[in-house]
């Protein structure tokens, strides 16, 4: 967990302990469900937890805000972000029941009262949120149609989608017709893994098809 402490030096002792516990719990569930590739487990803190926290290098979720994590899989990026922002409400959704069960158990064992997890598709949701986060579930044009109407009205300038993606996104963003801002995670993290990793921000009021 040293890598997380290095990039997030202001964590409380309790938060550090929660990240350590999440590491243990996640590995245990991964043995059973393959939440992430087995070859990646050795780099869990860097490639999954720290990657998820890349969103926090771009936006500071205000206390009381609500965040929807779409296609959360094993709880990424939602669980690491929920540890970092204990005053923010996180709703983690995925269509795969086994994975959501694992997320529910991990959130319960860690005592994360700010997390709810549900087996449902984003398009079927009814609540509205201040923010949406996700890790490369689909191409941006497709993904945005699923969540375009999930926002609360009158959000501030930071409200919108924070999408973790990799590689050259020029064509993908062009195809979507959305106003998007790209932040390179290599500007914050020195590890080679982050060389091509990015956070794509699409504000709630961005145009684009599907609106």
């Amino acid at each position: 967990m040293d890598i997380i402490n290095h990039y997030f030096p202001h964590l409380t002792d309790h938060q550090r302990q929660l990240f350590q516990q999440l590491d243990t719990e996640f590995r245990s569930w991964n043995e059973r469900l393959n939440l992430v590739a087995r070859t990646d487990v050795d780099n869990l803190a860097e490639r999954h937890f720290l990657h998820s926290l890349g969103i926090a290098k771009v936006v500071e979720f205000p206390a009381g805000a609500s965040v929807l994590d779409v296609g959360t899989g094993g709880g990424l990026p939602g669980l690491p972000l929920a540890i970092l922002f204990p005053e923010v409400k996180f709703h983690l959704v995925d269509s795969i029941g086994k994975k959501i069960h694992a997320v529910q158990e991990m959130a319960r064992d860690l005592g994360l009262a700010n997390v709810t997890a549900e087996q449902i598709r984003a398009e079927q949701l009814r609540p509205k949120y201040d923010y949406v986060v996700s890790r490369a579930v689909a191409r941006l044009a497709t993904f945005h149609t699923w969540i375009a109407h999930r926002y609360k009205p009158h959000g501030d300038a930071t409200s919108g989608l924070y999408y973790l993606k990799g590689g050259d996104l020029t064509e993908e963003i062009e195809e979507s017709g959305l106003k998007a801002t790209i932040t390179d995670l290599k500007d914050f993290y020195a590890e080679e893994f982050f060389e091509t990793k990015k956070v794509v921000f699409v504000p709630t009021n961005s145009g684009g098809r599907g609106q």
Side-chain angles (χ1 to χ4, degrees), residues 139-151:
R139 283 180 78 82
L140 187 58
T142 304
F143 185 83
H144 196 262
T145 62
W146 301 342
I147 54 103
H149 304 292
R150 294 275 59 78
Y151 295 114

Side-chain angles (χ1 to χ4, degrees), residues 14-190:
H14 181 57
Q15 285 172 315
R16 288 198 181 99
Q17 182 248 316
L18 286 176
F19 276 115
Q20 195 62 62
Q21 193 180 343
L22 177 61
D23 188 84
T24 305
E25 299 267 341
F26 200 99
R27 288 168 189 273
S28 170
W29 279 102
N30 208 59
E31 286 291 312
R32 287 171 270 176
L33 291 181
N34 228 11
L35 300 173
V36 299
R38 301 243 159 130
T39 50
D40 243 12
V41 171
D42 291 342
N43 300 303
L44 193 57
E46 177 190 325
R47 297 188 179 180
H48 297 285
F49 299 167
L50 193 62
H51 187 210
S52 296
L53 295 174
I55 289 170
K57 293 294 186 185
V58 183
V59 62
E60 175 100 13
F61 297 130
S66 56
V67 180
L68 171 66
D69 175 5
V70 175
T72 191
L76 303 167
L79 290 178
L81 288 169
I83 293 173
L84 195 66
F85 295 105
E87 304 295 317
V88 174
K89 297 188 288 287
F90 289 85
H91 189 187
L92 282 51
V93 302
D94 200 280
S95 59
I96 299 171
K98 283 187 295 191
K99 290 185 176 181
I100 282 297
H101 174 67
V103 172
Q104 288 167 337
E105 292 290 315
M106 285 189 279
R108 192 195 65 193
D109 290 346
L110 269 66
L112 295 176
N114 60 331
V115 172
T116 54
E118 183 180 6
Q119 181 188 1
I120 191 171
R121 294 186 179 279
E123 313 93 292
Q124 298 169 317
L125 284 165
R126 286 291 159 264
K128 307 275 188 183
Y129 305 85
D130 298 299
Y131 302 92
V132 177
V133 298
S134 189
R135 283 217 306 177
V137 173
R139 283 180 78 82
L140 187 58
T142 304
F143 185 83
H144 196 262
T145 62
W146 301 342
I147 54 103
H149 304 292
R150 294 275 59 78
Y151 295 114
K152 290 179 185 173
H154 319 305
D156 68 17
T158 67
S159 299
L161 167 66
Y162 291 85
Y163 205 28
L164 290 161
K165 295 280 276 183
D168 184 354
L169 304 174
T170 316
E171 184 196 329
E172 188 171 332
I173 288 170
E174 229 166 68
E175 166 196 73
S176 74
L178 297 163
K179 290 191 221 94
T181 308
I182 297 175
T183 303
D184 292 308
L185 286 179
K186 67 180 179 186
D187 293 346
F188 303 98
Y189 300 146

